[in-house]
Amino acid sequence: MVGVSKMLLVAATTALASGAVNKTQECYNHQACQYKPLANLRMAGMMSEKNQLWKKCQEDHTCPYPKAASSGRAVCTNGFLTIGTDRYECSGMDVMSFVPSAELGSAVRGSDIWGWTDPVMGNEIAIMCLTDGTSFVDITKPENPVVLGYLPGTNHPTGAVWRDVKVYKDHAYIGSEVANHGLQIFDMTLLRPLYGRQGTNVPKLSNTAFYDEFGSSHNIVINEETGFLYSVGTKTYKGGPHIVDIRKPAEPKFVVGYDTHGYTHDAQCVIYTGPQKEYKGREICFNYNEDSLLILDVTDKDNMVVISRTEYRNNYYCHQGWLNDEMTMLMMDDELDEEYTSEKHTRTLLWDISNMKNPIHTGSFVSKEQAIDHNMYVKDNVVYQSNYCAGLRVLNGTDMASPNELAFFDIAPYCDTKTTKGVQFQGTWSNFPYYASNNIAVSSIELGLFVLRVQDGIL
């Protein structure tokens, strides 16, 4: 069933735009839209544990850590690099710049990150999520980043650590675990007048448009080839995908939701180009559902079809994953296995999905570091893993059945990943490796924004 929820875009002459909303509440006409996630979700326990940890570190004034911005490129030499008085472990990766949380527009903890390249001007923008809003940073000159503006979140008296962002057709879409937050929409081209700006006072931005047919959400998933947004972990459809048509970027329209297999933590939705002929050209979502990998054909939104649902051994929290370029393999991370099993070294699960009806867990890549894994992305079959205390790890995924590490930057020198003390929810949250420049934007929970680059000749 397709419903309509038109948003009025208010014309703006500067980046300080404002939007108005014309509600229809179409989603809430569906009984299934009222189905909230079960109270005994694994996610609830994990969020409680993280909140206790982060509350304590905030009380101890250790998140965010007060750090100074870097000046110039810090080169990794003989396994180390230095920023100010801090020494970081590294291999084959340099720090182009570092922007501390205090300079991002709100001196709070960091979370997700994404990126955008201006199709006209060529500027590369990092979109850094924070507890109470989102910061936009121009990293076109990676050694001299410029904070362009800060977009406060909605309905956030105290904020929430979990905030997520993706981009479609020059518009950023932002969700949060804040109750009744909804989906913020911001036209990225409104940043152009702020390119090259100077001064320490970060401009406040406003929504271009807004979608309120869900409140809180955990992750935003967008298939840029089709123009559909899948918000997962909302309080609708038992936390399963809540689907929104964003083909008109500032006029989001509710489509439908999927609740048959409950809560989805994260997903990747693609137009399938893999080896199975019957699915060529179909829109397929690979869903990470706490205890299983759910592969779903979402081509027909009124008749979505399960291709397979597969559990695996030691499934403590099926969190996130990404496909290889050929769509024959995927890597998956389980966020809690390092915490709850005797194996404390980061385990990445390797899956053969050449037959999506029968995915096979072929083995695992086990890191030398003792740390929890979080988010990973693949570009040209190179895997970029944000593994909390272990920092950004770069793997050769050309043969995804047998990956090997190429480079790394330990973003959290205060974590000892040579011991079990590294198994904690600190360090890096996520990364964005898709800039043409090959710079990588990396978010740190405690520190802020890092811009990294793998040294020449390694990839």
Side-chain angles (χ1 to χ4, degrees):
M1 182 179 294
V2 177
V4 177
S5 179
K6 295 183 178 179
M7 304 296 154
L8 303 178
L9 175 62
V10 176
T13 57
T14 71
L16 308 181
S18 62
V21 180
N22 179 20
K23 303 182 195 177
T24 65
Q25 295 291 310
E26 189 71 20
C27 171
Y28 293 101
N29 293 330
H30 291 188
Q31 184 179 5
C33 185
Q34 308 297 324
Y35 295 159
K36 296 182 179 181
L38 298 174
N40 62 351
L41 284 173
R42 300 182 188 191
M43 182 63 186
M46 182 166 60
M47 288 179 71
S48 176
E49 180 182 350
K50 289 181 178 180
N51 274 326
Q52 291 176 24
L53 170 69
W54 292 328
K55 180 181 179 182
K56 183 179 185 303
C57 77
Q58 189 169 15
E59 291 171 350
D60 295 341
H61 304 289
T62 56
C63 60
Y65 282 108
K67 298 288 184 182
S70 67
S71 56
R73 183 173 185 168
V75 178
C76 180
T77 306
N78 297 324
F80 293 94
L81 62 79
T82 301
I83 302 175
T85 60
D86 296 315
R87 195 169 187 239
Y88 296 82
E89 285 192 72
C90 56
S91 176
M93 190 176 296
D94 299 339
V95 173
M96 308 303 292
S97 58
F98 164 64
V99 183
S101 298
E103 296 183 14
L104 290 171
S106 182
V108 292
R109 294 186 297 274
S111 56
D112 190 50
I113 197 164
W114 205 245
W116 173 71
T117 299
D118 188 325
V120 176
M121 308 296 290
N123 292 53
E124 294 183 343
I125 310 299
I127 310 170
M128 173 82 181
C129 292
L130 302 164
T131 297
D132 57 6
T134 307
S135 184
F136 299 85
V137 185
D138 189 343
I139 61 170
T140 309
K141 298 178 180 178
E143 297 181 44
N144 295 286
V146 178
V147 180
L148 300 177
Y150 175 77
L151 178 66
T154 57
N155 299 314
H156 63 91
T158 59
V161 175
W162 295 269
R163 187 174 300 276
D164 199 68
V165 59
K166 297 295 184 294
V167 174
Y168 174 73
K169 284 189 176 179
D170 306 328
H171 286 69
Y173 296 82
I174 304 163
S176 170
E177 283 283 4
V178 170
N180 300 317
H181 181 277
L183 181 70
Q184 294 178 281
I185 302 169
F186 180 73
D187 183 348
M188 298 289 291
T189 66
L190 296 174
L191 295 173
R192 286 172 181 160
L194 299 174
Y195 292 169
R197 73 166 209 89
Q198 298 180 353
T200 58
N201 293 326
V202 178
K204 289 288 182 68
L205 309 174
S206 298
N207 297 334
T208 299
F210 187 74
Y211 176 87
D212 69 347
E213 299 197 33
F214 59 79
S216 64
S217 61
H218 196 77
N219 276 306
I220 302 299
V221 179
I222 295 178
N223 186 346
E224 295 184 40
E225 294 184 272
T226 63
F228 286 97
L229 178 150
Y230 303 81
S231 182
V232 296
T234 73
K235 299 300 188 292
T236 64
Y237 298 101
K238 298 180 182 177
H242 177 124
I243 305 173
V244 184
D245 183 347
I246 57 170
R247 286 174 290 185
K248 294 183 179 179
E251 299 179 16
K253 298 178 181 179
F254 166 72
V255 180
V256 75
Y258 182 85
D259 71 345
T260 303
H261 288 90
Y263 187 92
T264 297
H265 184 88
D266 209 340
Q268 181 186 6
C269 298
V270 300
I271 295 298
Y272 183 75
T273 59
Q276 285 185 272
K277 293 181 180 179
E278 63 187 294
Y279 295 110
K280 293 274 190 181
R282 307 285 293 179
E283 186 173 11
I284 308 297
C285 286
F286 296 82
N287 301 275
Y288 301 92
N289 277 31
E290 295 202 314
D291 64 354
S292 59
L293 170 64
L294 174 68
I295 304 178
L296 192 63
D297 186 337
V298 299
T299 308
D300 182 352
K301 305 298 184 287
D302 292 328
N303 185 30
M304 292 178 277
V305 178
V306 174
I307 299 174
S308 62
R309 177 183 176 274
T310 310
E311 296 186 5
Y312 57 94
R313 189 167 174 263
N314 290 334
N315 57 39
Y316 290 90
Y317 200 87
C318 178
H319 177 265
Q320 190 258 2
W322 213 255
L323 301 168
N324 67 351
D325 294 345
E326 296 76 21
M327 298 189 185
T328 56
M329 296 282 297
L330 67 77
M331 283 184 165
M332 172 199 292
D333 64 75
D334 185 302
E335 192 174 2
L336 294 180
D337 56 347
E338 292 86 9
E339 186 173 17
Y340 292 142
T341 70
S342 58
E343 177 55 88
K344 303 302 180 184
H345 295 82
T346 309
R347 176 183 70 144
T348 303
L349 291 87
L350 312 173
W351 289 83
D352 181 345
I353 55 161
S354 55
N355 179 1
M356 292 188 292
K357 295 179 180 178
N358 183 33
I360 299 172
H361 175 209
T362 61
S364 300
F365 172 76
V366 180
S367 171
K368 296 179 181 179
E369 307 303 309
Q370 298 183 59
I372 300 171
D373 38 6
H374 201 223
N375 290 309
M376 74 179 92
Y377 298 99
V378 179
K379 175 187 176 184
D380 299 331
N381 281 335
V382 177
V383 186
Y384 298 83
Q385 296 186 321
S386 280
N387 289 348
Y388 280 117
C389 278
L392 183 71
R393 321 300 292 197
V394 180
L395 309 181
N396 182 354
T398 303
D399 179 6
M400 198 170 272
S402 182
N404 61 285
E405 189 170 273
L406 299 173
F408 74 87
F409 174 68
D410 181 1
I411 206 167
Y414 38 87
C415 291
D416 183 4
T417 57
K418 304 305 179 187
T419 71
T420 57
K421 292 181 180 179
V423 182
Q424 56 182 304
F425 299 110
Q426 292 183 304
T428 175
W429 187 286
S430 195
N431 69 86
F432 181 81
Y434 297 109
Y435 299 112
S437 65
N438 292 324
N439 293 321
I440 310 158
V442 181
S443 62
S444 162
I445 299 169
E446 298 85 19
L447 300 180
L449 167 66
F450 286 85
V451 181
L452 308 180
R453 182 182 291 175
V454 177
Q455 293 176 346
D456 292 343
I458 291 179
L459 300 183

